[in-house]
Amino acid sequence: MKISLVALIALFSIAQSCKSLDETNPEEVLREYMELRINQNHKDAYDLISTDSKKFATLSEFTKYFEIPDSIKPQGILIKSIVAADANINLPSYRRFKINGQQISHDGDSINYLSYYTQKMKMEIGELFGMP
């Protein structure tokens, strides 16, 4: 259940945003989402996920899943890089990204992590059919 929740939540909608965000830049949207999650700003992060994903997780479920208790909350989280994966010609409305990061604990230990996210893109009718 949690794995499917994470996979569905990873689908973003560029059309939804409450801040002045360059919605045409998927990497910027993903970086903003990650920053919001790192800062435990669950409501604004939830606003960036797609409408389809919101059908599977309410704001309270999203918050409960990603909430980190103070006892294990890391001292810092750093996003090292966000790299776009090759486009999938069979699913042109989705973009995939690989995120390298580092989490630093209170005792100074660091953990490198690698995450993959899929972002749902808003497409024009012509793009769906391969037309300019």
Side-chain angles (χ1 to χ4, degrees):
M1 173 69 179
K2 285 187 178 185
I3 292 172
S4 62
L5 178 64
V6 171
L8 291 172
I9 289 174
L11 299 176
F12 299 109
S13 173
I14 287 186
Q16 299 175 351
S17 176
C18 23
K19 296 184 179 183
S20 61
L21 193 60
D22 181 6
E23 297 174 350
T24 62
N25 184 346
E27 289 183 44
E28 187 176 324
V29 174
L30 182 55
R31 185 171 294 280
E32 178 68 16
Y33 173 79
M34 293 300 296
E35 292 292 333
L36 291 168
R37 288 254 325 276
I38 288 168
N39 295 321
Q40 299 285 300
N41 188 342
H42 301 297
K43 179 175 180 339
D44 289 342
Y46 183 79
D47 289 341
L48 289 177
I49 67 173
S50 70
T51 305
D52 290 341
S53 295
K54 289 178 182 176
K55 292 177 186 175
F56 296 99
T58 64
L59 174 59
S60 61
E61 291 170 330
F62 181 88
T63 301
K64 185 177 179 181
Y65 183 80
F66 287 111
E67 202 168 45
I68 301 171
D70 288 338
S71 60
I72 61 170
K73 188 175 180 180
Q75 182 176 351
I77 299 176
L78 171 68
I79 299 172
K80 292 181 177 180
S81 67
I82 297 177
V83 179
D86 293 336
N88 183 342
I89 60 171
N90 295 323
L91 298 169
S93 63
Y94 292 91
R95 300 291 183 265
R96 296 172 297 177
F97 295 91
K98 179 171 87 172
I99 299 177
N100 285 307
Q102 187 174 55
Q103 180 175 314
I104 302 166
S105 68
H106 288 285
D107 58 1
D109 290 338
S110 63
I111 300 169
N112 292 320
Y113 67 87
L114 177 64
S115 300
Y116 290 92
Y117 285 84
T118 301
Q119 191 174 49
K120 186 175 183 179
M121 307 296 290
K122 184 177 180 181
M123 298 185 73
E124 300 297 325
I125 293 293
E127 291 178 289
L128 292 173
F129 298 106
M131 296 183 290

